[in-house]
Amino acid sequence: MRRALALALLALACAARSPPPSAAPPGAAPPAARRAPAAPVRYGAEPDAAPTPLEQAALDLARDRLAAGRARPRVSGALVAAARELAQAAAADDPAALARGRIRGALARAGCFDPAPTTVLVASEMASARAALAGALPRGRATDVGAGAAERPGRAGRAIVVVLASERRASLSPFPRDVDPGEQATLAGRLGAGLSRPRVFVATPSGRVREIEAGAGPSFRAAVAFPEAGRHAVEVIAEGAGGPEVVALLEVSAGGAPLDLPAAGPEQDPPGEAAAVAVVRAANATRRARGLQPLAASPALASVAERHSAAMAAAGTVAHVLPGSGDAGFRLRAAGIPYRRVLENVALSSSALAAHRVTEESPAHLASLLDPGATHVGVGIARRKLPSGEEAVYLTELFVEPPDDGAESPLTPDARVREALWAERARRALPPLAADPALDALARQAAAAMRARDEPGAPDLADRALALRRELAAADVFVASAPADALRSANLRDRRFRRVGVGVVTGDSRRFGAGRFWIAVVYTD
């Protein structure tokens, strides 16, 4: 009986979707002319959903299947509006109705900030639409869902239903989707449970990426400027159990610019190992377009990236950190690959090239690709068949800045640390530091002891400096990738210190990898 009622509602929904136009009395304005102007779309401000019976049936089913033992997902008016646009495009036989660019455009026009909602489309007879949707909807977890339905023109009784489901990890205060060039808006919100360290990135129409101060979390607040006309991408990143993750992605139009993504390049992978080569080629094309040097492909990095992609495929998840493994730096150290800095992009799509395009559409991931210090890249690809029969491609990209071996400098590592410290003091308009041979000797002993133990730490270094008849002393120690990393020294900014001792020992570390710098810096008055 319940099934018969549900099917009747489905049939009613399509019948009521397109009422015939009504004639207006002579001299009356057409109905559209009397409507109030549409309210500006704002991210984080959910519109009324007002689902049709067909959409309501789809929403009820989706909420049951995606509860995963928790509270049923909320109905999001913004996701409903986006799903309707996609359903109408599919009903009109648009072959690109569910293309990634079309989905992102529909989400933006509806005011959705969901970075990657699950998208399900069902085309069937109205009488069997609910059963078809039940078979297509995956079981999983979601906090918000939307459903849109459309009847196929000229095909009575045939319906298209699109369901969008998202697990939102952050909340946003209302933020404008449309701004004037030169305008500034405040992006504010709060991270969900288990997330920390919010970061806000903005990609401008001209291709520049910048990070904006957002606060320590869990609340965040960032002043976002839109200096030029065009489409801007605003992204919020947070640190979770699996490493950094995107929690919000907003497309913002400055000056009435279209919200759709630019047309993507080829996304079909060439066969075999050529797929990784094609990804490197695409990455370097983007770097060249921004005036940056291309990256050299590294087989050693590719091997590390391939193992991580295979681990993601086996776990069925995309993350920088998986159970039983560390972050990218940990994996490079375990493989004995020296580096100064490593940046990592991970993504999932229907092909390796499509996954790479996804990273370029994310401001934070694009910033990693465009890092000016990176010189080498490793690309790893793993493929997995989904229960639906579709192939999922897991992509890992590693961008590495090589270690600083000092080959281009005539100075010793100790001298390079002093040079960096003195330059930073001058930049901060602080009193200059004087080299002190007695303090240098203490610092060298501390650095050598750290290297021998393969462990940072010199708890007695400041006390030993005080024994030299000084009134004030402090020490900082590091295991670093380059002498300039000593600028992390917290005591460098203390104007009370006038003397400094520096000790540096270089070598490989079992814990921290190859080509490390063991640095000790001790300050006194």
Side-chain angles (χ1 to χ4, degrees):
M1 191 67 183
R2 185 175 181 182
R3 177 175 175 81
L5 175 59
L7 293 177
L9 289 175
L10 291 172
L12 176 64
C14 287
R17 286 290 291 161
S18 302
S22 57
R34 296 198 301 266
R35 291 176 185 161
V41 174
R42 298 173 71 82
Y43 292 100
E46 291 284 351
D48 292 335
T52 66
L54 174 55
E55 292 167 346
Q56 187 63 59
L59 288 168
D60 290 341
L61 181 60
R63 295 178 73 198
D64 288 340
R65 292 184 67 87
L66 296 171
R70 306 183 308 174
R72 298 174 80 209
R74 300 177 295 264
V75 175
S76 162
L79 285 174
V80 168
R84 281 176 181 160
E85 178 181 324
L86 297 173
Q88 289 163 5
D93 293 326
D94 183 346
L98 289 190
R100 188 175 66 256
R102 174 63 62 81
I103 293 175
R104 285 243 53 91
L107 292 170
R109 282 184 283 276
C112 298
F113 60 87
D114 308 273
T118 299
T119 306
V120 177
L121 181 148
V122 167
S124 74
E125 299 291 337
M126 290 185 296
S128 58
R130 190 177 189 277
L133 190 60
L137 276 171
R139 289 200 178 274
R141 295 171 55 164
T143 60
D144 295 81
V145 296
E151 186 175 3
R152 305 191 73 173
R155 301 185 186 182
R158 296 282 294 179
I160 299 287
V161 180
V162 171
V163 173
L164 296 173
S166 178
E167 185 172 9
R168 291 183 179 164
R169 304 294 309 279
S171 59
L172 291 185
S173 299
F175 187 85
R177 188 199 61 188
D178 301 277
V179 298
D180 294 325
E183 189 175 342
Q184 180 174 292
T186 299
L187 180 68
R190 186 175 180 84
L191 301 178
L195 296 178
S196 62
R197 295 172 55 193
R199 303 172 68 188
V200 174
F201 292 82
V202 180
T204 67
S206 56
R208 295 190 300 272
V209 181
R210 67 184 188 277
E211 183 175 359
I212 304 172
E213 177 63 35
S219 296
F220 56 89
R221 189 177 186 87
V224 183
F226 302 94
E228 57 188 292
R231 184 184 62 84
H232 297 68
V234 182
E235 187 174 57
V236 182
I237 301 286
E239 195 75 21
E245 59 182 90
V246 181
V247 297
L249 181 56
L250 299 71
E251 311 289 348
V252 179
S253 169
L259 290 163
D260 295 285
L261 296 177
E267 294 190 350
Q268 291 299 317
D269 289 342
E273 296 180 357
V277 175
V279 170
V280 172
R281 188 182 301 117
N284 279 333
T286 299
R287 284 179 64 92
R288 287 191 184 96
R290 306 299 200 280
L292 296 170
Q293 290 295 315
L295 302 166
S298 165
L301 291 176
S303 179
V304 175
E306 286 169 4
R307 288 195 292 272
H308 188 65
S309 289
M312 289 194 297
T317 189
V318 176
H320 295 276
V321 179
L322 297 170
S325 78
D327 61 11
F330 175 88
R331 286 180 259 122
L332 290 188
R333 293 191 296 271
I337 299 175
Y339 67 94
R340 181 175 184 184
R341 289 189 309 123
V342 57
L343 303 107
E344 179 179 62
N345 285 345
V346 292
L348 167 68
S349 194
S350 57
S351 72
L353 280 173
H356 174 74
R357 300 292 181 197
V358 170
T359 67
E360 292 205 10
E361 292 161 7
S362 157
H365 292 76
L366 181 61
S368 295
L369 169 61
L370 299 180
D371 187 275
T375 60
H376 290 75
V377 62
V379 172
I381 298 167
R383 303 178 188 274
R384 175 187 179 183
K385 285 286 186 182
L386 298 176
S388 63
E390 298 173 312
E391 185 173 66
V393 178
Y394 293 80
L395 174 70
T396 301
E397 300 173 335
L398 294 171
F399 309 106
V400 168
E401 180 179 353
D404 183 352
D405 58 9
E408 298 180 358
S409 174
L411 301 177
T412 65
D414 302 53
R416 295 175 65 198
V417 169
R418 291 190 197 92
E419 183 180 60
L421 296 178
W422 290 339
E424 181 66 8
R425 290 278 286 200
R427 189 186 72 83
R428 293 177 175 272
L430 294 171
L433 294 168
D436 187 310
L439 295 178
D440 284 342
L442 292 179
R444 280 195 295 270
Q445 293 170 11
M450 290 193 297
R451 172 68 183 87
R453 297 193 314 271
D454 201 20
E455 182 178 340
D460 64 341
L461 182 54
D463 290 336
R464 294 174 66 193
L466 287 174
L468 298 175
R469 297 183 178 180
R470 308 294 164 83
E471 297 295 328
L472 185 67
D476 294 313
V477 296
F478 315 94
V479 180
S481 302
D485 291 346
L487 294 182
R488 304 197 317 253
S489 175
N491 291 293
L492 176 61
R493 298 184 291 274
D494 193 327
R495 64 173 50 251
R496 296 174 297 172
F497 295 126
R498 300 301 177 94
R499 297 175 180 272
V500 66
V502 173
V504 182
V505 176
T506 61
D508 296 342
S509 165
R510 296 182 301 276
R511 292 182 58 195
F512 303 104
R516 301 292 95 182
F517 290 77
W518 303 81
I519 302 174
V521 183
V522 58
Y523 304 87
T524 68
D525 53 346

